[in-house]
Amino acid sequence: MPILMPQNLPFCFPKLSAELRNVIDVQSGEWVGQMSGVGAGLDSFYEYLLKSYILFGDKGDFLMFNETYHTIKRYMRKGRQHCNHGYGEHPLYVNVNMIDGSTLTLWIDSLQAAFAGVQVLTGDIEEAICAHALYYSIWRRFGALPERFNWQRVSPDLAFYPLRPELIESTYLLYQATKNPFYLHVGQEIIESLNKYSKAKCGYATIHNVQDKTLEDRMESFFLSETCKYLYLLFDVDNPLNKMASHYVFTTEGHIFPLLKQSQLKLWDFGEDATGTEVKISVSDTRRNVSNKTHSNCERIPDERQYLLPLKPKYMLQISQALGLES
């Protein structure tokens, strides 16, 4: 049973599209290829648009992020309209053709798991919950996250797992935003899988194939600098970074940047964003609202999402059945 069977979109991207391709020729400045998505080659760009605004208060970054995010949801998002109510397949962000908006590949990659964290920072918590649930379910099936997963065949296209941090990062940010203990259970399950399948005599090894759990004699540096860091912070409730999370922002490589004082005070009046909504917001408000530890975001989540499954059981079951985890 495929997770989703998207159809080609019946319209083209506007001439001045906010979509980007994932490869550019540095000599000519021309785009190479036609694929656009939220995974490898593009994921950090979206993240840095938002984080640059949070860190420096540049209104151009804020407007570019809004326009880009609006376009991503319009052209790449498939499935039912709402995460936690309604009918249809589970939401999924697919790779599309930049020229005409058609679905270009049948796979999603492990780097896309970080997009849920970006959605947390922008305050789109429900969408983050939905995006995270898909990648967590893939992890549950294999005990790791394959580099590329074919959502139509429901099997890996690239089966290795180099101990990437993206799913763990999103898990950490969702826990900070919702305080739902579900995400602690996710973290515990990830740790158990790493210890069971990746632990070696001198460190943790890349999983060469998530299906047969063969290993490679290789441990990437991001395993220590990001994967382990986010797992540690997830459970270390009293860590100063968690206590004062609104004063810091993580880079895409897990480095910790303090927010500039002037960015916390300056007021911008932007006019309208890409959706036509009037925007008037201060950087200090943004810092307060999209930081890892934010009461305003927690208050937006209904009680049932804080204390029960963030994704309603029937929708979690839907993903599990699609992935073969449940009969």
Side-chain angles (χ1 to χ4, degrees):
M1 174 183 175
I3 295 176
L4 186 64
M5 291 292 290
Q7 302 296 319
N8 288 352
L9 298 176
F11 43 76
C12 296
F13 280 153
K15 184 177 291 186
L16 297 177
S17 170
E19 290 305 322
L20 304 171
R21 304 181 201 184
N22 65 342
V23 181
I24 193 169
D25 188 317
V26 297
Q27 299 296 328
S28 67
E30 298 294 325
W31 290 112
V32 178
Q34 297 181 351
M35 191 178 83
S36 186
V38 297
L42 284 163
D43 54 321
S44 295
F45 173 74
Y46 307 131
E47 181 180 356
Y48 273 140
L49 277 181
L50 180 58
K51 289 183 176 180
S52 291
Y53 167 67
I54 295 171
L55 188 59
F56 302 112
D58 189 312
K59 64 179 181 180
D61 292 334
F62 180 75
L63 294 176
M64 281 191 289
F65 176 81
N66 268 336
E67 182 181 3
T68 302
Y69 189 52
H70 175 71
T71 308
I72 286 170
K73 293 185 76 172
R74 179 181 178 186
Y75 292 105
M76 298 181 193
R77 189 186 186 280
K78 310 296 181 183
R80 64 178 175 272
Q81 183 176 0
H82 301 287
C83 176
N84 256 310
H85 62 89
Y87 299 94
E89 301 291 348
H90 186 80
L92 175 72
Y93 290 87
V94 302
N95 298 313
V96 299
N97 187 307
M98 180 182 175
I99 305 302
D100 62 13
S102 60
T103 300
L104 197 59
T105 73
L106 300 178
W107 51 261
I108 52 178
D109 66 59
S110 61
L111 289 168
Q112 290 177 242
F115 195 61
V118 176
Q119 292 175 314
V120 169
L121 291 178
T122 197
D124 201 352
I125 304 297
E126 287 293 298
E127 279 291 297
I129 287 171
C130 236
H132 176 275
L134 173 60
Y135 289 93
Y136 165 58
S137 297
I138 296 173
W139 182 287
R140 285 180 58 213
R141 175 171 174 180
F142 298 105
L145 204 58
E147 188 72 356
R148 287 183 182 176
F149 181 78
N150 189 303
W151 43 262
Q152 188 174 63
R153 294 203 310 264
V154 197
S155 63
D157 272 0
L158 292 177
F160 66 91
Y161 172 62
L163 309 175
R164 290 197 186 278
E166 284 75 17
L167 176 62
I168 295 93
E169 178 185 3
S170 294
T171 302
Y172 166 69
L173 291 173
L174 272 164
Y175 178 68
Q176 290 300 311
T178 67
K179 299 304 180 185
N180 191 312
F182 169 79
Y183 295 108
L184 296 178
H185 289 285
V186 173
Q188 180 180 353
E189 189 169 342
I190 289 172
I191 290 173
E192 290 173 352
S193 294
L194 290 171
N195 284 331
K196 181 177 181 180
Y197 299 121
S198 296
K199 192 171 184 179
K201 185 176 181 180
C202 297
Y204 286 76
T206 290
I207 297 178
H208 179 70
N209 189 314
V210 298
Q211 294 175 304
D212 61 22
K213 303 303 187 293
T214 51
L215 301 178
E216 298 180 17
D217 186 13
R218 180 185 183 91
M219 185 179 78
E220 299 284 354
S221 61
F222 53 66
F223 175 70
L224 295 177
S225 64
E226 297 182 76
T227 306
C228 291
K229 180 185 294 181
Y230 287 120
L231 282 171
Y232 183 88
L233 288 173
L234 176 64
F235 293 100
D236 188 17
V237 177
D238 294 325
N239 190 284
L241 282 174
N242 291 331
K243 291 287 189 179
M244 302 181 65
S246 61
H247 294 276
Y248 301 95
V249 65
F250 287 95
T251 72
T252 191
E253 301 298 337
H255 303 120
I256 302 161
F257 281 10
L259 294 183
L260 302 177
K261 187 174 182 180
Q262 57 266 36
S263 294
Q264 300 173 18
L265 300 175
K266 193 166 185 178
L267 180 67
W268 296 107
D269 188 348
F270 292 168
E272 293 185 352
D273 67 10
T275 65
T277 303
E278 184 176 351
V279 176
K280 187 173 184 180
I281 188 168
S282 69
V283 178
S284 58
D285 287 340
T286 302
R287 175 179 58 81
R288 188 165 54 249
N289 289 338
V290 302
S291 63
N292 297 350
K293 185 178 180 181
T294 163
H295 296 294
S296 58
N297 273 346
C298 293
E299 291 167 359
R300 295 173 191 166
I301 305 297
D303 286 347
E304 66 185 73
R305 229 75 94 239
Q306 291 191 50
Y307 304 115
L308 301 176
L309 284 173
L311 188 65
K312 290 180 179 178
K314 65 177 181 180
Y315 296 129
M316 186 64 78
L317 179 62
Q318 178 190 39
I319 307 175
S320 297
Q321 290 176 335
L323 291 173
L325 291 166
E326 306 281 350
S327 58

